Amino acid sequence: MPDHDPPPSIDQLIDGLIAREGGYTNHPADRGGPTRYGITEAVARAHGYSGPMSLLPRDEAAAIYRRLYWLRPRYDQVARRAPRVAAELFDTGANMGPGVATTFLQRALTALNRNAKDFADITPDGRIGPRTLGALDSFLDLRGAGGETVLLRALEALQGERYLRLAEKRPANEAFLYGWLANRIGNVE
């Protein structure tokens, strides 16, 4: 068997995300308004930052990512089972919201359970709890390492479809579609 690199740590995932997001932007087509390191002004304000967005400290952005997009949605629990899936959920959650990313996981697991023969269907509620973790455990027990790869593909398919739908529903989002597809799909394996 070939040697594999160890899974990335949350610090490495945050570093990669901040590198992809870049510095300060205030694109007129972006409903999120001013952002720095991918953190919107609304999120920064909700978490105590009161300064200009162009000066949001990197360590503050990293702390927000760790708290809101890793620990709160329980992706640390997913990482213990499937680190590449957790990395994908973290990246998707930072871009679309953790509830959306988690719903993608729940939908994919339910669709891959062979009509509930392998484990019970999961209600796609956008929250990781015992049922979602149990379904993930069952899926990985049945499908092994190859199952994690298939699950990643399902998550990325759902993510890509959502990006296309966002651009179709709001033409201003076409300004971002190429970058979303280039920088968000397949970048965490």
Side-chain angles (χ1 to χ4, degrees):
M1 274 178 88
D3 290 329
H4 292 286
D5 292 332
S9 68
I10 183 54
D11 292 326
Q12 291 169 316
L13 292 174
I14 290 170
D15 287 346
L17 179 60
I18 286 175
R20 283 189 302 283
E21 288 290 349
Y24 176 76
T25 63
N26 190 8
H27 194 288
D30 188 348
R31 288 184 172 169
T35 68
R36 182 162 163 106
Y37 305 122
I39 301 294
T40 65
E41 186 171 29
V43 168
R45 301 284 181 249
H47 293 278
Y49 180 71
S50 59
M53 283 305 294
S54 61
L55 299 178
L56 176 73
R58 187 189 185 288
D59 63 336
E60 181 79 15
I64 290 170
Y65 278 128
R66 180 184 308 279
R67 187 171 55 251
L68 290 186
Y69 300 97
W70 184 254
L71 296 173
R72 183 180 289 173
R74 301 184 72 198
Y75 295 153
D76 58 321
Q77 299 294 311
V78 174
R80 292 184 184 136
R81 297 156 165 86
R84 294 183 305 150
V85 168
E88 178 64 31
L89 293 171
F90 171 71
D91 185 73
T92 302
N95 186 246
M96 296 182 174
V100 172
T102 299
T103 297
F104 288 169
L105 174 66
Q106 293 167 326
R107 288 177 57 205
L109 285 169
T110 294
L112 289 166
N113 73 359
R114 297 182 320 131
N115 295 313
K117 289 181 184 145
D118 296 334
F119 47 88
D121 287 349
I122 308 163
T123 302
D125 63 6
R127 294 186 311 256
I128 291 183
R131 287 187 179 159
T132 300
L133 292 173
L136 180 59
D137 288 339
S138 294
F139 176 77
L140 294 171
D141 286 346
L142 288 165
R143 300 294 185 174
E148 186 176 7
T149 299
V150 168
L151 189 53
L152 273 172
R153 289 178 183 161
L155 294 172
E156 290 179 348
L158 290 165
Q159 182 183 15
E161 192 281 331
R162 179 165 174 152
Y163 287 138
L164 290 170
R165 199 166 10 102
L166 288 170
E168 290 168 345
K169 288 171 87 172
R170 183 174 176 259
N173 284 336
E174 289 182 16
F176 309 113
L177 182 60
Y178 185 90
W180 288 336
L181 294 172
N183 297 314
R184 294 285 186 187
I185 305 293
N187 66 331
V188 293
E189 275 194 77

